[in-house]
Amino acid sequence: MQHWFGYLQLIFEGALLTAQLTVLGCALALFMAIIAGLARMSKVKAISIAATCYIEFFRGTSIFVQLFWAYFVLPLVGIPVSPFLAGVLALGLNVGAYGAEVVRGAVQSIDKGQSEAALALNLTPYQRMRHVILPQAFVIMLPTFGNNAIELLKGTAVVSLISLADMTFQSQVVRAQTGSTAIPFLTILILYFMMAMVISRGIRALERHLSDGLDVTK
């Protein structure tokens, strides 16, 4: 038993790294989703085209390639990145591209009467978006954002390809050293599930909290 305790501790250390990647990756993904989603609706053509290029590029290419580019290619052009930073960048930018379409769809789903009422109150475009449109649209976005966050969590396993010691990497180490496949992979299966449940329940609680007093009917 003492033998397995040490190996399981390695997996738990990897789980902590997985959690850190998930939190930071989700933060970057949320930021990029809001920026790119709103930029794609911009009336300034250059901004809209730039946002569209970002979205289509990261949705249309493999996250494996994006991860390798971040880790192996960026240092060649004078931008050194650690394995951890490369993982956060690849995960956040990839999921952010999918989230951008969620933002665009949610904002466009808000009844136009809301904008017209805000315009009648002489609010600026920024004030209309900040105080009227986004609070309602954000509630609509949350369920899909929760799904995206869970997908990002599961996607963290790709960082093991650049020898970043997340829990998938550590489980492979344990398997190689013990010859057992069932125990290490059953352990990370449970850990992934528990983390996904935390995200799911957190998103639901936040959705209920933000929905209070808001009319998000289309």
Side-chain angles (χ1 to χ4, degrees), residues 12-153:
F12 292 142
E13 290 173 359
L16 178 60
L17 183 60
T18 295
Q20 293 172 340
L21 283 167
T22 302
V23 170
L24 293 178
C26 284
L28 177 59
L30 178 62
F31 174 78
M32 293 303 301
I34 293 174
I35 295 299
L38 296 179
R40 189 163 190 179
M41 296 183 292
S42 174
K43 295 180 181 179
V44 180
K45 192 170 183 180
I47 295 177
S48 177
I49 290 175
T52 300
C53 289
Y54 158 70
I55 293 169
E56 297 304 327
F57 176 80
F58 280 94
R59 290 200 310 170
T61 57
S62 168
I63 191 172
F64 294 100
V65 178
Q66 294 162 16
L67 177 66
F68 290 150
W69 262 83
Y71 185 57
F72 294 109
V73 178
L74 289 182
L76 298 179
V77 295
I79 307 176
V81 292
S82 65
F84 183 83
L85 180 56
V88 171
L89 286 174
L91 292 165
L93 292 175
N94 181 273
V95 175
Y98 289 92
E101 289 297 277
V102 177
V103 172
R104 183 174 67 88
V107 169
Q108 291 180 338
S109 73
I110 301 301
D111 192 284
K112 291 184 178 179
Q114 301 283 338
S115 295
E116 293 170 357
L119 184 61
L121 294 173
N122 202 32
L123 297 182
T124 66
Y126 171 78
Q127 290 172 328
R128 294 198 297 270
M129 183 61 69
R130 168 67 179 83
H131 298 291
V132 179
I133 305 301
L134 275 183
Q136 298 178 73
F138 193 70
V139 177
I140 298 173
M141 300 173 203
L142 274 176
T144 308
F145 276 171
N147 291 336
N148 289 346
I150 292 173
E151 289 300 320
L152 189 148
L153 164 66

